[in-house]
Amino acid sequence: MRRLKLLIIALFFSAIALPAQAKEEIYKTADQFLAEAFDGDVPKTKVLWLKRDVKALSKEILDHAYPALRIRYWMRDDQSVWILEEIGKERPITMGMVVKGDEIRYSEILAYRESRGWEVRYPQFMAQYAGATLTEEKKLDRHIDGITGATLSVQAVTRIARLALVFHRHVMPNTTLAESKVSGDSNG
């Protein structure tokens, strides 16, 4: 009987010591986000190949290489839509970014997988990115207010916002290489 009590106590304390498990929360599918961004008339998918210069720029922004050889995007006129992922603390956060002209028009968290920091998905937080552009140093032109307990998630969203703006500049047909700060063919 004593062994059984010790076993129960050991199981109880080991359960308390386990880290919280992240639960994947899908708020919107990529197809839903694209339909909203393009008023139901989604253009054909395009591809940005992450060639040497684009890969180097991505690494500069993310502090690590983007884990893909190519990125799918959708474009009509001067509006592009990007579905990108970045690690918050341990798990990827999937974000949709709409870039028009040279600024973020709209952004949304599509899927969140971390155990903490999910507050970044709220529209009030994501609205801070609307209208954001890049400085010459490839930083956002504004301060983004953080969320207590969600610092890594806020940083991940901000890096993706910067990356979407850089990618958009790179694929715009009338953008010169000096303006985009990258070289190489975007499609291919």
Side-chain angles (χ1 to χ4, degrees), residues 4-116:
L4 181 60
K5 284 182 183 180
L6 289 175
L7 180 61
I8 290 172
I9 291 170
L11 287 173
F12 174 76
F13 283 112
S14 67
I16 290 175
L18 290 176
Q21 293 296 322
K23 178 181 171 191
E24 180 175 40
E25 293 284 340
I26 298 174
Y27 306 111
K28 189 174 286 181
T29 66
D31 289 339
Q32 291 169 325
F33 185 77
L34 290 166
E36 288 176 10
F38 292 107
D39 294 323
D41 186 20
V42 179
K44 185 178 174 185
T45 304
K46 296 184 177 216
V47 175
L48 170 63
W49 287 90
L50 298 183
K51 295 183 179 182
R52 184 178 313 143
D53 292 343
V54 179
K55 190 174 279 232
L57 192 54
S58 300
K59 187 173 184 177
E60 179 184 331
I61 289 171
L62 298 174
D63 291 329
H64 64 84
Y66 195 84
L69 296 175
R70 62 185 184 266
I71 306 281
R72 294 183 319 152
Y73 70 99
W74 298 260
M75 181 173 245
R76 177 169 297 125
D77 301 324
D78 67 340
Q79 176 175 300
S80 64
V81 175
W82 305 86
I83 308 291
L84 302 168
E85 288 190 341
E86 175 63 340
I87 302 292
K89 182 177 181 181
E90 299 170 343
R91 309 278 319 258
I93 303 168
T94 305
M95 293 162 263
M97 296 281 170
V98 177
V99 181
K100 186 172 175 84
D102 207 21
E103 69 182 36
I104 294 175
R105 293 297 240 187
Y106 178 72
S107 57
E108 194 169 345
I109 303 294
L110 304 182
Y112 194 83
R113 299 167 185 91
E114 298 281 6
S115 59
R116 301 185 68 191

